[in-house]
Amino acid sequence: MSAPLFLLALLAGLFTFVSPSLASNWLKTGKETSRPYGHVDYCARHASDCRSRSAASALPPARLALLSKVNVSVNRAIKPVADKKAFGRKEYWTGRTRMGDCEDYALAKRAKLMSRGFKSSQLLLTMGHNGREAHTVLVVRTRDGDFVLDNLYDDVKPVRSARMSFRKIQAPEHGGRWLKITGKTSKQP
């Protein structure tokens, strides 16, 4: 192998092992947007989850092993069933269930991570489209970037490589408000 090819191969290898903080991405937000109906109903039942909260705390490290463990355990614990079949309603959000749809998975993951020290302002319900349908995931905001916990996949993905287009996200400073997603950024929020 020639020296230039060897150096190119060496550089490519180094970039595959770059730490998350050097290749971080966060979701970039814009103006406030509409609240999903299921979230409005959820807030009526769980007002403490839908109020102002401190978003000024330092972001924690990613703790990818914990995120992965929670993602897999909840994905295995909940049977995927439409709200109409599971709860007799078109839209019903709950984090305490053995069966449900994407919002229920996201809320269950949020509860588990809060019990392990994450703050609600770092655990953001996020809606978008996965190529087939509207979809909700949990985005975990860390100092190493935003990470996606999805009920369709056991692997935890950074937002830059998630398999969906993002449309709206809970506001970190207020659990009852939603913000439009305008893109991705390498600038820490």
Side-chain angles (χ1 to χ4, degrees):
M1 181 183 295
S2 69
L5 287 175
F6 175 76
L7 288 174
L8 187 59
L10 181 64
L11 285 173
L14 286 173
F15 283 111
T16 61
F17 296 105
V18 172
S19 78
S21 62
L22 295 177
S24 301
N25 276 116
W26 293 270
L27 292 173
K28 186 176 176 183
T29 58
K31 294 181 180 180
E32 193 167 334
T33 190
S34 62
R35 294 171 57 197
Y37 168 75
H39 190 253
V40 172
D41 175 62
Y42 175 83
C43 287
R45 293 179 284 114
H46 303 279
S48 64
D49 277 354
C50 302
R51 61 178 184 222
S52 292
R53 52 193 181 192
S54 173
S57 62
L59 293 177
R63 297 175 22 199
L64 291 174
L66 174 61
L67 297 180
S68 181
K69 180 179 176 180
V70 167
N71 194 50
V72 169
S73 71
V74 172
N75 286 353
R76 303 263 187 292
I78 297 177
K79 178 182 175 183
V81 176
D83 285 339
K84 187 74 169 165
K85 184 175 181 181
F87 306 109
R89 295 168 61 177
K90 182 179 177 184
E91 198 64 33
Y92 186 80
W93 293 20
T94 182
R96 296 183 181 105
T97 186
R98 295 236 182 259
M99 65 176 117
D101 63 9
C102 55
E103 299 93 7
D104 306 316
Y105 284 87
L107 286 165
K109 292 170 188 181
R110 182 179 174 274
K112 278 194 170 216
L113 288 169
M114 284 179 66
S115 73
R116 288 169 173 82
F118 280 87
K119 293 180 175 20
S120 60
S121 63
Q122 299 155 348
L123 304 170
L124 307 172
L125 298 173
T126 306
M127 299 181 83
H129 202 273
N130 68 5
R132 295 183 309 260
E133 61 189 349
H135 189 53
T136 300
V137 295
L138 182 67
V139 167
V140 180
R141 182 151 282 174
T142 75
R143 68 176 169 228
D144 300 315
D146 286 345
F147 291 87
V148 178
L149 281 66
D150 190 335
N151 65 297
L152 300 177
Y153 305 100
D154 284 340
D155 53 333
V156 173
K157 295 274 189 194
V159 295
R160 72 178 174 281
S161 59
R163 301 170 186 124
M164 70 182 285
S165 60
F166 300 98
R167 306 278 164 77
K168 61 175 90 176
I169 188 169
Q170 273 184 302
E173 70 281 350
H174 196 291
R177 294 189 181 132
W178 288 71
L179 304 172
K180 181 178 181 178
I181 294 173
T182 60
K184 297 174 186 166
T185 180
S186 59
K187 184 179 176 186
Q188 185 173 344

